[in-house]
Amino acid sequence: MNKYSMYVKTEKIKNERKKKKKTIKDMSVNLGFKSPISYYNLEVGIVEPKISQMINLSKILGKPVSYFFNL
């Protein structure tokens, strides 16, 4: 478990991304990251996502924001 994966369900983010047939690069572009590695770091829990990023991510993946958090 990475630092932020205890708060964010990173595995669900990855699984939903794959269900939507989106690549890490696709997500990076859609979320406005400068490089795919920036998105990857969010997806694996290395960096803490901003709430605005999580809101946009939930819109892209078609799930409520709460779906991706450990509450």
Side-chain angles (χ1 to χ4, degrees):
M1 178 179 288
N2 287 307
K3 186 175 181 179
Y4 295 106
S5 60
M6 64 190 295
Y7 306 112
V8 177
K9 295 178 182 177
T10 56
E11 196 63 31
K12 283 191 173 187
I13 294 172
K14 180 180 177 180
N15 291 339
E16 292 301 321
R17 173 180 61 80
K18 288 183 174 187
K19 283 182 189 176
K20 294 282 186 181
K21 297 184 177 11
K22 294 201 175 279
T23 65
I24 288 173
K25 185 175 181 180
D26 294 336
M27 294 299 289
S28 173
V29 169
N30 290 329
L31 291 169
F33 288 106
K34 292 182 180 178
S35 71
I37 194 71
S38 298
Y39 171 77
Y40 174 80
N41 288 339
L42 180 149
E43 189 174 280
V44 298
I46 294 172
V47 299
E48 180 179 24
K50 295 177 183 174
I51 191 65
S52 61
Q53 292 168 334
M54 292 303 294
I55 290 168
N56 289 335
L57 185 138
S58 71
K59 289 177 184 176
I60 293 166
L61 299 178
K63 296 286 184 184
V65 173
S66 60
Y67 180 79
F68 298 109
F69 283 98
N70 291 316
L71 303 174

